[in-house]
Amino acid sequence: MTLTLPVLMCLGLSLGPRTHVQAGTPPKPTLWAEPGSVRGSPMTLWCQGPLETQEYRLDQEGLPWTWGRQNPLEPGAKAKFHIRSAVYSTAGRYRCYFETPAGWSEPSDPLELVVTGFYAEPTLLALPSPVVASGGNVTLQCDIRNGFLTFVLVEEEQKLPRTLYSQNLPKGPSQALFPVGPVTPSSRWRFRCYYYYRKNPQAWSNPSDPLEILVPGVSRKPSLLAPQGPVVARGGSLTLQCRSDVGYDRFALYQEGGHVLLQRPGQQPQAGLSQANFTLSPVSRSHGGQYRCYGGHNLSPKWSAPSVPLDILIAGLIRDTPSVSVRPGPMVASGENVTLLCQSWHNIDTLFLTKEGAAHPPLRLKSKYQSYTYQAEFSMSPVTSAQGGTYRCYSAIRSYPYLLSSPSYPLELVVSGPSGDPSPPPTGSTPTPAGPEDQPLTPTGSDPQSGLGRHLGVVTGVSAAFILLLFLLLFLLLRHRHQSKHRTSAHFYRPAGAAGPEPKDQVLQRRASPVADVQEEILNAAVKDTQPEDGVELDSRAAASEDPQDVTYAQLQSLTLRWEATEPPPPQEGESPVEPRVFETLAIH
C-alpha cells in the first residue's frame, strides 16, 4: 500500500528569499519539492532566487559532484530539477544555490527528501482503545517484527512527523509508543506510521493502515443489528449492519477491547435512511465480543453517540453439547405455562436459549447443579402464539463468555389458539379383567364346612395377604424411583432423535438380589405395566449414587405352593371309612 502526499514528505524547508540577512550578503534561495515522494513516482524540485540570478545548482548531501545545473526560467527567475523516478538513491538531503554577478549564494536550508514504499508496512494500534472521551489521552503503538529501527508518526491533517527510536522488546517486535492528547471532538485525529533504518533515514517503509481516534459526540446514536442473529458458527460469515435515520455519510464499528476501528462509507437504501454493512469472514474466536457503532459526516470531524452494545457469540468452540426439553409438551395451547429445560453434564457456568430467526439477543441464565447435571429452566408463563418456533440450547464458561458450545438438538414448540386442540387420549396401558389364573382356586365339589374347605380358606387368606404385601413393596419401589427421576426430567419432553446428555464419569450399575425366576417375571411384568408413555423413559437400573440413602432395595421372597394328598389308614372294624385328605403347603424362602 502506498501513499501520495500532495505536498511532499520533505523536512526542513527554508523560509524563502525574504529572510533578513546582513547588507551585502546574497539571500538564501528557497528549495521545495512537488508533488510527492512515493517510490517510483516522478517528482520535481524547485529552487528560487532573486531576479538577477544567472544560474542554479542542486547538490545532494554525500555526493562528491553536483547533482544538476539549470538556467532560470522566465518569468519568476526559478529553476526546475526533474526526477523521473523516486528510487532508493533519490532519497536524501538536498541544498540549492544561485549565481549572480556578485558570485554564488549561501546554500538553501536543507530539504530532506523522504521516499516511502521500500519496506513492509508496520502496524498502528491505539492503547488502550481508539475510542477516547473528550479531553482524554491515548497512546499509539507502531511496531514491526524487525531489528533496530526508527519509527515516524504522521498526523495527516498537519503533516508534522514525530520521530521515535524503537524499543526492542525481549523476543518480540520493535515498537515505538507515541502519546497523543488531550483529544477534542472538534479535530480529526487520523494517523499513519512509518519506519526506516538508521543507515538511510530518508528511505521509509510503506505506511501503516490509517488509524483514527474517535471522540464520541452527542448527536443521535445509530442502531447496530445482526441480520443473521447474534449467534454465529465458527467458520461462517458475520454481517453487522449500522443504520440511522440521521443521514450519516460514514460509519465506524468498534469491538470492545480492540485497538482499531473499522470504517465504511454510508449508503442510502431508501430516503431518510443511511447504513453501512461490516462483513467479518471467516468467523473465528476473536470475533466474539461486544460491538458498538458510530455515525459521522464527511465534512465534520465529530462522531455520534455510541449505539446500544450488541453481543456476538461464536458457537462450536466449547466441547459440550447440551440438551433441551419442554414441559408439558411440544404442542400447547396459548395461555398455558411452558418451561424449557437446558441441561449439560459438564461443569459450565451459563446456559443460553435461542429461537431460530429471532433478532433479539438469546436468553441466558446461570446454571444450577442439580441431580448430577448443570441446568437452567426458561419459563414462558403464559405462552403466546408468537413464542412458537424452533429452540436450541448452548452452554458457556465464565472465562470465555462469548464462546459457546455446539447447539443442542432443535426442539419445535407449537402454540395453538386460545382454546387449543382436544387432549389426546391417554397412551398408557389399559388394565384388563383378571384371567382364569388370577381367580381363586376352589376345587369343585368341596364343602366349605368340611375340613378340606377350612384348610383351603386358611391357605387362600395367607396367599392373598402375601400377594398384597408383595405388590405394596413393588409400589413403594416404583414410587421412589419415579420421584428420583422427577427431580431431573420428569414431565419434560425431549425432541425425537435427541439423546439425553450422557454423564462423563458416572457409571450406571444394576443392583439386584437373587430372586427366583417366577418372581423376576412378576417384577418385570409389573414394571412394564406401570411405565408411562408420555415421552419420559424410565430406566430399570439403579444409579450408583454418591449418597447411599438415595437408593432403595427390595428383597423379594420366593413363594412355593405345593399340593399333597394322603391316603388314610385302613378303617378299623366298626368305624366309618375316612375320606382322603388334601394338604396345601406354603413355603417361603
Side-chain angles (χ1 to χ4, degrees):
M1 178 179 179
T2 57
L3 171 68
T4 301
L5 299 179
V7 187
L8 62 130
M9 291 288 295
C10 300
L11 314 178
L13 292 179
S14 67
L15 297 178
R18 296 186 180 181
T19 303
H20 293 286
V21 295
Q22 296 181 357
T25 303
K28 291 182 180 180
T30 303
L31 180 62
W32 73 95
E34 60 182 32
S37 56
V38 179
R39 177 185 178 187
S41 61
M43 62 182 307
T44 300
L45 301 183
W46 295 89
C47 186
Q48 184 171 14
L51 295 177
E52 61 270 20
T53 299
Q54 297 175 344
E55 187 180 12
Y56 289 96
R57 188 180 85 230
L58 181 67
D59 289 347
Q60 181 180 3
E61 189 175 283
L63 293 181
W65 58 84
T66 297
W67 194 91
R69 293 174 179 269
Q70 292 288 345
N71 294 324
L73 301 175
E74 295 291 344
K78 60 181 179 181
K80 177 176 69 173
F81 297 90
H82 184 67
I83 299 176
R84 294 183 178 180
S85 178
V87 294
Y88 186 85
S89 60
T90 305
R93 184 171 293 183
Y94 292 82
R95 290 182 173 87
C96 75
Y97 307 80
F98 63 85
E99 183 183 25
T100 64
W104 286 97
S105 68
E106 295 292 325
S108 66
D109 289 334
L111 171 65
E112 189 170 359
L113 182 60
V114 173
V115 182
T116 65
F118 290 106
Y119 317 112
E121 67 274 6
T123 301
L124 183 60
L125 304 175
L127 304 177
S129 167
V131 179
V132 185
S134 179
N137 297 289
V138 66
T139 298
L140 302 187
Q141 175 183 296
C142 187
D143 62 45
I144 189 71
R145 293 188 176 277
N146 231 318
F148 294 93
L149 306 171
T150 301
F151 292 92
V152 181
L153 181 69
V154 177
E155 185 176 354
E156 295 190 359
E157 291 290 322
Q158 301 180 5
K159 304 295 187 301
L160 297 178
R162 297 166 55 184
T163 303
L164 283 177
Y165 291 113
S166 64
Q167 303 172 0
N168 283 46
L169 305 178
K171 297 182 180 180
S174 297
Q175 67 176 28
L177 302 176
F178 298 88
V180 175
V183 298
T184 60
S186 58
S187 300
R188 181 167 292 178
W189 304 85
R190 188 178 176 90
F191 299 88
R192 293 179 186 263
C193 78
Y194 305 78
Y195 66 90
Y196 60 83
Y197 291 90
R198 297 172 190 176
K199 62 182 180 180
N200 192 350
Q202 289 81 33
W204 288 10
S205 68
N206 281 310
S208 67
D209 291 333
L211 173 64
E212 184 166 353
I213 303 302
L214 191 150
V215 184
V218 295
S219 59
R220 189 185 310 174
K221 61 185 177 184
S223 301
L224 183 59
L225 308 173
Q228 74 281 1
V231 179
V232 188
R234 178 183 60 177
S237 179
L238 170 64
T239 298
L240 299 181
Q241 187 177 91
C242 190
R243 58 167 58 185
S244 174
D245 57 0
V246 175
Y248 292 122
D249 301 319
R250 55 185 181 136
F251 292 90
L253 179 69
Y254 172 63
Q255 181 182 5
E256 192 72 26
H259 304 295
V260 294
L261 286 171
L262 296 179
Q263 293 194 41
R264 298 288 186 273
Q267 300 176 349
Q268 291 188 345
Q270 62 187 46
L273 180 66
S274 61
Q275 70 178 43
N277 292 333
F278 297 85
T279 300
L280 309 176
S281 177
V283 171
S284 65
R285 61 184 301 162
S286 63
H287 291 110
Q290 190 174 87
Y291 291 80
R292 290 180 173 88
C293 76
Y294 303 80
H297 299 281
N298 291 332
L299 300 180
S300 172
K302 296 182 178 180
W303 289 94
S304 71
S307 67
V308 175
L310 174 64
D311 290 345
I312 296 299
L313 308 172
I314 311 302
L317 294 174
I318 301 297
R319 293 185 178 180
D320 184 28
T321 302
S323 67
V324 59
S325 53
V326 60
R327 183 177 60 195
M331 300 183 66
V332 295
S334 179
E336 289 191 50
N337 295 331
V338 175
T339 300
L340 295 176
L341 176 67
C342 293
Q343 290 178 294
S344 173
W345 285 98
H346 293 84
N347 186 5
I348 51 92
D349 301 300
T350 309
L351 285 163
F352 293 80
L353 180 66
T354 65
K355 180 183 177 184
E356 191 173 289
H360 58 75
L363 302 176
R364 67 176 71 190
L365 284 176
K366 183 177 177 59
S367 66
K368 296 181 180 179
Y369 183 71
Q370 183 177 354
S371 301
Y372 307 108
T373 65
Y374 293 84
Q375 56 184 257
E377 293 187 2
F378 298 86
S379 299
M380 302 178 185
S381 303
V383 69
T384 64
S385 58
Q387 292 174 310
T390 302
Y391 289 86
R392 291 177 174 86
C393 284
Y394 298 83
S395 59
I397 57 179
R398 186 180 299 108
S399 54
Y400 299 98
Y402 299 104
L403 305 183
L404 302 184
S405 68
S406 298
S408 68
Y409 198 90
L411 185 144
E412 183 76 19
L413 179 63
V414 179
V415 182
S416 61
S419 59
D421 297 328
S423 300
T427 57
S429 300
T430 304
T432 57
E437 66 275 11
D438 299 323
Q439 305 298 328
L441 180 61
T442 303
T444 59
S446 63
D447 184 1
Q449 301 299 326
S450 65
L452 178 59
R454 287 195 299 271
H455 284 292
L456 289 177
V458 172
V459 172
T460 302
V462 173
S463 301
F466 181 79
I467 292 174
L468 289 177
L469 179 62
L470 175 64
F471 277 99
L472 178 61
L473 291 175
L474 289 176
F475 172 76
L476 292 176
L477 175 62
L478 294 176
R479 181 181 179 183
H480 175 78
R481 297 180 63 184
H482 178 74
Q483 290 178 348
S484 177
K485 196 170 187 67
H486 174 76
R487 287 194 294 265
T488 58
S489 61
H491 305 299
F492 279 95
Y493 170 86
R494 183 172 291 118
E502 295 190 2
K504 182 179 180 181
D505 301 320
Q506 186 179 11
V507 179
L508 296 179
Q509 299 177 350
R510 180 185 297 270
R511 300 179 183 266
S513 59
V515 295
D517 293 340
V518 176
Q519 279 66 40
E520 186 173 357
E521 292 179 3
I522 295 175
L523 177 61
N524 292 338
V527 172
K528 181 177 181 181
D529 290 341
T530 56
Q531 284 183 339
E533 297 183 6
D534 57 355
V536 179
E537 298 180 1
L538 297 179
D539 191 354
S540 62
R541 297 175 296 177
S545 172
E546 296 178 1
D547 187 1
Q549 288 78 6
D550 289 344
V551 180
T552 300
Y553 298 92
Q555 179 75 28
L556 301 181
Q557 305 297 332
S558 176
L559 172 64
T560 303
L561 185 63
R562 187 174 69 254
W563 290 86
E564 296 180 357
T566 61
E567 290 291 338
Q572 301 295 328
E573 294 182 0
E575 294 182 356
S576 59
V578 180
E579 298 179 356
R581 297 183 179 182
V582 178
F583 294 91
E584 185 179 8
T585 304
L586 180 64
I588 300 178
H589 304 285

